[in-house]
Amino acid sequence: MFKSILVTGGAGFIGSHVVRRMVTQYPGSTIVNLDALTYAGNLENLRDIDQSPNYRFEKGNILDAAFLAQLFDQYQFDAVIHLAAESHVDRSISDPLAFVQTNVLGTVTLLNTARNAWQNDLDGKRFYHVSTDEVYGSLGEEGLFTENTPYDPRSPYSASKASSDHFVRAYWHTYHLPVVLSNCSNNYGPYHFPEKLIPLMISNIRQMKPLPVYGDGKYTRDWLWVEDHARAIDTILHQGRTGETYNIGGNNEWKNIDLVEKLCDIMDELLERAPGTSRSLITFVKDRPGHDLRYAIDASKLRDEMGWEPSIQFEEGFRKTALWYLENTEWLDHVTSGAYQTYYSKQYD
Ligand code: NAD
Ligand code: DAU
C-alpha cells in the first residue's frame, strides 16, 4: 500500500483513467496528478473526481528538475506512475525533437529526481514506467511480442519510448532504483483524444465527415479497453517484481479497415441511420511513413504471475465507447473546438 503516489500525465487519456482508479480504490492514499497540460492534457477528463479529498493537481513539466524536487519534498512520494509523454506517432514524424525532450529527457529528469529523493531509503519505494508495444517494432502476419522480443523501434515516437525504457532499466541496474515497467498495446475507450484512430472515426462519423484510412487499411493493432489497462497498472504497481517488465494486451486483433467498418455499422445503428451510411464516408488516404504492419501482445506473464486478464472484448467495448462519445458530445465538442484548454483557468485560477 503506497501512501503518496505521483501520477505523471494524469490529465491525458490513459493517465486520467489511472488517476480515477487510484483515487477511488485507495482513499487513504494521496494521489498527485502532475501534468503540463499540453494539447493532449484535459482536466475535463477528471471532472467527476477532482473534488476528492485525496486528489491533488499540480501543473508542471517533467523537464523541470527544480519543480520536481520541490514536489517530491512536499508530498514525500513513495510511488511514481510515469505516463507523461508525447504519444502520437504522426506528430512524432513531423516533430521528433519534442518526443526526445519529453519522452527521453523528461523521463531521465524524473528518474534523477526520484533517485535523489529516495537515495537514503529505497525501501518500500516504486518507480513504475508505462511504455508501449511499439518498442518491439513490427510483426508479420504471425507471432506475438513477448517481454524477450528484441527492441526494434521504427518511428521517432517508438524510438523515444524505447530509449526511455532503456534508461529506466539502467537506473535499476546501476543505482538499484526500484523500477517496474509495462509495455501495452493500443488502448481505446472514453476520454481518448480525437487525433487517434477510434475517437477520430467516431467524431467524423457523427459529423458525416470523411473517414481517413491510411494506405490499404490492412494494418493490424491489438486493442485493449483502457480501464483494463488502468487495472493492470494498479496490479503491477502492487504485485509486479522489481526490475521486471510486463506486457499488457487485449488479445483482440483487428485490421484497421475491419475495425472502421465495424464502427460505422455500430454508429449507424446508434444514430438510427440507414445501414451503409457511414461506410460510404471511408476514404483511403496517403499512408503513414514507415507504418508498422502489425502489433500483437503475449500477456501470459502478467496473467500467470498476477491473474490479470482483459475484462471485455472489442464488440462490447466498442459499443460502450461509441455510446460514451454520443452521450458526451459536450466533451467532444470542447476538445475539437479547443475550449477544454480554458478549463484550467476556470477551475484553478
Ligand atoms: P496522452 O497523449 O493522451 O496524454 C499524455 C499526457 O502527458 C497529457 O496529459 C500531457 O499534457 C502530458 N504531458 C506531455 N508532456 C508532458 C511534460 N513534458 N510534462 C508533464 N506532462 C506532460 O497519452 P496516452 O495515450 O494517455 O498515453 C499515456 C502513456 O501511455 C504514454 O507514456 C504512452 O506512451 C503510453 N501508452 C499509450 C498507449 C495508447 O494506446 N494510447 C498504449 C501503450 C502505452
Ligand atoms: O501500440 C500502442 C500505441 O498505440 C501507443 O503507444 C501510442 O501512444 C498510440 O497512439 C497508439 O499508436 P498507433 O499509431 O497504433 O495509434 P493510432 O490511433 O494513431 O493509429 C492506429 C492505426 O490506425 C494505425 O495503423 C494508423 C491507422 N490510422 C490512424 C489514424 C489517426 C488511420 O488509418 N487513419 C488515421 O486517421
Side-chain angles (χ1 to χ4, degrees):
M1 175 77 177
F2 298 100
K3 297 301 294 173
S4 181
I5 303 173
L6 172 65
V7 181
T8 70
F13 166 48
I14 301 170
S16 63
H17 288 276
V18 171
V19 166
R20 179 175 296 99
R21 182 175 176 95
M22 303 312 280
V23 164
T24 50
Q25 294 278 319
Y26 305 105
S29 306
T30 303
I31 313 301
V32 179
N33 171 14
L34 159 63
D35 200 295
L37 299 183
T38 68
Y39 79 96
N42 181 357
L43 288 173
E44 292 189 22
N45 297 356
L46 290 163
R47 253 184 175 157
D48 54 328
I49 58 99
D50 66 10
Q51 299 305 314
S52 305
N54 64 333
Y55 171 73
R56 306 276 184 285
F57 174 69
E58 296 283 353
K59 187 174 180 202
N61 199 305
I62 56 165
L63 284 155
D64 185 342
F67 171 72
L68 290 180
Q70 176 262 314
L71 217 58
F72 270 71
D73 191 41
Q74 180 182 347
Y75 290 105
Q76 298 291 306
F77 300 121
D78 48 7
V80 174
I81 308 176
H82 176 37
L83 296 115
E86 288 292 339
S87 71
H88 189 34
V89 173
D90 293 329
R91 285 180 188 257
S92 82
I93 293 167
S94 46
D95 184 12
L97 211 49
F99 286 68
V100 176
Q101 275 157 355
T102 285
N103 299 0
V104 185
L105 293 178
T107 299
V108 177
T109 307
L110 190 60
L111 285 164
N112 276 340
T113 311
R115 182 180 162 231
N116 289 337
W118 295 344
Q119 61 186 338
N120 295 327
D121 185 14
L122 290 172
D123 230 32
K125 308 292 195 304
R126 178 144 277 201
F127 187 106
Y128 187 144
H129 180 61
V130 176
S131 192
T132 171
D133 60 358
E134 300 201 13
V135 298
Y136 299 123
S138 183
L139 291 164
E141 297 293 332
E142 299 289 319
L144 300 171
F145 296 132
T146 74
E147 288 81 358
N148 297 321
T149 302
Y151 273 33
D152 182 21
R154 294 149 47 100
S155 73
Y157 164 68
S158 54
S160 68
K161 290 296 290 187
S163 173
S164 66
D165 293 10
H166 291 318
F167 272 105
V168 172
R169 293 194 185 98
Y171 272 63
W172 159 238
H173 290 288
T174 310
Y175 308 115
H176 309 296
L177 191 77
V179 307
V180 69
L181 299 87
S182 58
N183 294 79
C184 188
S185 64
N186 288 62
N187 287 215
Y188 71 97
Y191 304 112
H192 206 178
F193 196 84
E195 66 181 355
K196 308 279 175 75
L197 181 71
I198 290 181
L200 179 80
M201 295 296 162
I202 292 175
S203 174
N204 285 11
I205 291 171
R206 182 176 154 242
Q207 298 172 79
M208 287 295 287
K209 284 165 68 172
L211 308 178
V213 174
Y214 295 164
D216 62 5
K218 300 282 168 55
Y219 298 91
T220 302
R221 298 291 182 264
D222 172 9
W223 293 93
L224 177 69
W225 175 242
V226 62
E227 289 178 10
D228 283 339
H229 190 188
R231 179 168 51 85
I233 289 173
D234 183 2
T235 306
I236 295 167
L237 177 74
H238 290 94
Q239 298 174 40
R241 288 180 290 132
T242 306
E244 288 290 319
T245 297
Y246 296 90
N247 279 356
I248 309 172
N251 199 18
N252 188 27
E253 286 185 52
W254 286 74
K255 284 195 172 37
N256 292 340
I257 186 63
D258 297 338
L259 181 159
V260 171
E261 287 181 350
K262 172 61 83 183
L263 195 47
C264 287
D265 296 346
I266 291 175
M267 290 289 283
D268 281 349
E269 193 191 315
L270 294 175
L271 292 166
E272 298 181 356
R273 288 179 180 165
T277 306
S278 301
R279 282 190 186 214
S280 70
L281 300 169
I282 293 174
T283 312
F284 291 94
V285 299
K286 190 166 157 286
D287 211 347
R288 171 184 282 174
H291 201 161
D292 288 339
L293 177 66
R294 175 173 165 258
Y295 308 140
I297 280 279
D298 175 352
S300 56
K301 179 177 174 183
L302 177 58
R303 184 196 60 217
D304 295 347
E305 287 191 20
M306 289 168 246
W308 177 91
E309 284 190 285
S311 71
I312 54 178
Q313 275 311 304
F314 194 70
E315 292 257 359
E316 184 194 350
F318 211 16
R319 193 169 283 274
K320 278 173 79 158
T321 305
L323 260 178
W324 185 87
Y325 278 91
L326 293 177
E327 285 166 0
N328 290 274
T329 48
E330 192 193 5
W331 180 91
L332 191 55
D333 291 341
H334 281 189
V335 172
T336 40
S337 71
Y340 72 101
Q341 285 168 323
T342 60
Y343 183 80
Y344 177 82
S345 44
K346 273 192 286 178
Q347 182 77 357
Y348 293 94
D349 284 350

